[in-house]
Amino acid sequence: MHVLKAKILTCLIGAVALSASGQVNIDNVINVSQTERIEKTLSSDEMKGRAVFTPSIDKAADFIAREFKSIGLETPDNSGSYLQEFTLLRSTFLSATALLDGRPQETKNIVAFTTNPHLVISQDSGYQKAYIRAGDNFFSSAFKYVRDDKDYLVLVDSSFSKEMHRMPSFKRPGFKQPHSVVFILTNTDPVSYQIEVKHDISKLRLANVVGILPGKSKANEYVIFSGHYDHLGIGKPDARMDSIYNGANDDASGTTAVIELASYFKQLDRNERTLVFVAFTAEETGGYGSQYFSRQYNPSKVMAMFNIEMIGTQSRWGTNSAYITGYEKTDMGAILEKNLQGSKFRFYPDPYTPQSLFYRSDNATLARLGVPAHTISTSKMEEPPHDEPNYHKPSDEIGTLDLTNMTEIIKAIAVSAGSIVEGRDTPTRVKTEELRK
Ligand SMILES: [Zn+2]
């Protein structure tokens, strides 16, 4: 009798221990009511479309940070804040003068891409001279020099006066540029030159929201779960709608997934690898949030990235399915499918490859560095009616989402990521030599 009692007690203790570690009923953590609560908050009119450089996006960031805190995630580098802040620089043109072989040039024929507020250069400044000649493709040549990392003086053939005068409108805020490019419209090739350009440089503050779940035995190997929380803000009203671009699908849905996955993996407590949960900013304005975030990691330590973008609608295959961009570039998709065997859920390779989605989302920076970094989505990208009718419209509201299906997708990501999170599977890497071709 005593022995039996002891056995029962051992079993009970065993059961309790199991539920504390490794035995979580997924439906208690990832369910429609959680999905709805988070989605509703992020896509509410109060968030005013979560546009960068507005107080409303700060409201969204605070909400996500509070969620991370209540889940029990750690802050990055134990900084005490979930906000990963960084700045972009916006340069506003003030004045420009140039002498080419002593001859003054018109201000409107001088355009500089620089984050230096007071640029003064001459033939002795080490700028490489380049030319855009009559008949060249103006914009592709021009942006090749802007994207390169050297200082250039570009002499532009005067036949491009119209294109040249459109250049200032292509200037966008960006990270601090280590180099400057000066374009001058002229038909001469000067031996000597003196150029002076002044800009007002203002700092624009942005923030990703990042929460960490430290790994148990492989803490220096990272698995990233991400979505972007910014959207388009307030714009022109649609005929039938208000003017708030709620972005319920784009990408409050991905952000909702990140929060629910964080909660699940925290409770599951089986991550041998360190899990990083991140809500990116400024995806809609050029992917600045993911670019900044990606630079904080040694890519060789990032074992996988699950970027989640627009999962609120049914995919082209209907319910319980989603696609993975860049599927064939690593075996991560195959690992996820293996872990879903016997379930009703299917992951498919991205069917819209001509649109290069793999390179157009927040996974791209790390993928280009070899990380198995993929985007999971249900977004339909064909001609109407096989598209997303509310994409980038004020009508991208919670009422248009299938929250039950979205919850099933989040659960499928949670289950399928298990062996990677627990360190049992390591996806192959993107071959970076192929990407450069
Ligand atoms: Zn978008």
Side-chain angles (χ1 to χ4, degrees):
M1 192 70 180
H2 269 100
V3 177
L4 190 62
K5 223 178 188 176
K7 260 190 184 161
I8 291 168
L9 206 60
T10 319
C11 285
L12 280 174
I13 291 167
V16 171
L18 266 177
S19 68
S21 170
Q23 287 287 306
V24 172
N25 181 345
I26 194 166
D27 295 315
N28 292 342
V29 190
I30 303 176
N31 52 54
V32 176
S33 73
Q34 280 295 328
T35 303
E36 186 172 5
R37 177 184 67 83
I38 301 165
E39 249 301 344
K40 223 180 204 162
T41 308
L42 286 171
S43 65
S44 71
D45 281 354
E46 263 166 64
M47 294 284 181
K48 297 195 175 76
R50 309 185 303 278
V52 288
F53 317 130
T54 69
S56 347
I57 195 167
D58 296 336
K59 223 182 205 179
D62 287 344
F63 168 74
I64 298 162
R66 280 200 307 276
E67 291 290 312
F68 282 179
K69 183 165 193 210
S70 79
I71 290 166
L73 299 184
E74 294 189 3
T75 56
D77 303 320
N78 290 310
S79 60
S81 170
Y82 295 102
L83 300 187
Q84 181 185 61
E85 298 192 35
F86 60 97
T87 48
L88 290 185
L89 300 179
R90 172 184 282 158
S91 52
T92 310
F93 175 78
L94 295 176
S95 67
T97 58
L99 294 174
L100 302 185
D101 288 329
R103 279 189 299 276
Q105 307 295 308
E106 281 188 77
T107 300
K108 68 173 174 85
N109 293 339
I110 308 164
V111 178
F113 283 73
T114 184
T115 49
N116 180 346
H118 188 187
L119 193 68
V120 182
I121 65 167
S122 73
Q123 64 282 359
D124 302 321
S125 304
Y127 274 53
Q128 189 165 323
K129 247 198 222 173
Y131 305 86
I132 300 180
R133 300 182 202 277
D136 287 354
N137 182 329
F138 176 81
F139 287 108
S140 80
S141 314
F143 288 110
K144 188 180 75 197
Y145 299 120
V146 172
R147 274 194 302 268
D148 199 4
D149 52 7
K150 287 203 229 35
D151 293 322
Y152 284 103
L153 170 67
V154 185
L155 301 162
V156 179
D157 186 87
S158 57
S159 61
F160 289 118
S161 103
K162 214 174 80 203
E163 289 83 353
M164 178 80 174
H165 297 148
R166 279 180 58 203
M167 287 281 274
S169 64
F170 291 101
K171 285 194 200 172
R172 293 201 299 183
F175 295 111
K176 184 162 177 48
Q177 251 171 250
H179 72 118
S180 301
V181 182
V182 180
F183 295 89
I184 295 200
L185 191 74
T186 176
N187 274 349
T188 61
D189 185 357
V191 177
S192 75
Y193 58 86
Q194 289 81 41
I195 301 166
E196 186 171 353
V197 189
K198 288 185 182 168
H199 284 92
D200 178 57
I201 308 287
S202 52
K203 279 188 176 172
L204 304 171
R205 190 193 139 273
L206 288 170
N208 296 319
V209 192
V210 185
I212 311 283
L213 205 52
K216 294 170 187 295
S217 62
K218 298 178 173 180
N220 64 348
E221 294 185 3
Y222 299 92
V223 179
I224 296 166
F225 294 90
S226 63
H228 73 89
Y229 75 101
D230 68 302
H231 193 57
L232 302 168
I234 294 175
K236 284 202 196 88
D238 198 280
R240 298 156 294 129
M241 304 287 303
D242 59 22
S243 56
I244 299 170
Y245 286 64
N246 302 77
N249 195 22
D250 182 12
D251 185 25
S253 69
T255 307
T256 300
V258 168
I259 293 170
E260 290 196 84
L261 289 165
S263 184
Y264 173 74
F265 285 118
K266 169 70 183 178
Q267 292 194 34
L268 192 66
D269 193 27
R270 274 183 4 198
N271 57 300
E272 297 300 322
R273 290 178 164 140
T274 294
L275 309 187
V276 184
F277 300 92
V278 51
F280 292 128
T281 188
E283 189 273 346
E284 304 284 8
T285 39
Y288 295 115
S290 60
Q291 287 167 38
Y292 180 82
F293 168 88
S294 302
R295 281 198 239 141
Q296 313 307 311
Y297 288 87
N298 174 348
S300 70
K301 299 289 180 201
V302 182
M303 299 299 127
M305 177 184 197
F306 296 78
N307 185 55
I308 306 159
E309 171 117 30
M310 299 177 71
I311 55 165
T313 58
Q314 292 178 16
S315 79
R316 59 141 59 169
W317 305 278
T319 56
N320 298 310
S321 63
Y323 63 84
I324 301 176
T325 66
Y327 189 98
E328 70 294 342
K329 296 189 187 298
T330 76
D331 68 357
M332 188 161 135
I335 292 171
L336 304 188
E337 285 201 273
K338 175 195 77 179
N339 292 336
L340 288 175
Q341 260 170 31
S343 84
K344 61 189 175 193
F345 197 93
R346 284 292 312 273
F347 279 123
Y348 294 89
D350 166 15
Y352 312 114
T353 46
Q355 305 202 38
S356 299
L357 301 177
F358 187 57
Y359 299 108
R360 279 175 42 194
S361 196
D362 284 322
N363 65 298
T365 304
L366 283 171
R368 284 181 198 279
L369 296 170
V371 175
H374 300 270
T375 294
I376 295 172
S377 180
T378 57
S379 184
K380 295 178 285 299
M381 310 285 288
E382 287 156 279
E383 294 301 310
H386 305 292
D387 63 343
E388 295 300 337
N390 304 305
Y391 176 70
H392 281 197
K393 294 207 180 113
S395 57
D396 182 1
E397 298 206 4
I398 189 167
T400 66
L401 304 189
D402 181 341
L403 296 179
T404 304
N405 186 52
M406 179 170 146
T407 304
E408 290 306 312
I409 295 167
I410 301 169
K411 279 159 62 181
I413 296 170
V415 170
S416 64
S419 64
I420 298 173
V421 163
E422 291 163 26
R424 289 183 280 114
D425 277 322
T426 302
T428 55
R429 303 188 72 79
V430 174
K431 291 190 187 71
T432 49
E433 316 82 64
E434 277 175 32
L435 295 182
R436 275 195 282 270
K437 272 179 208 160

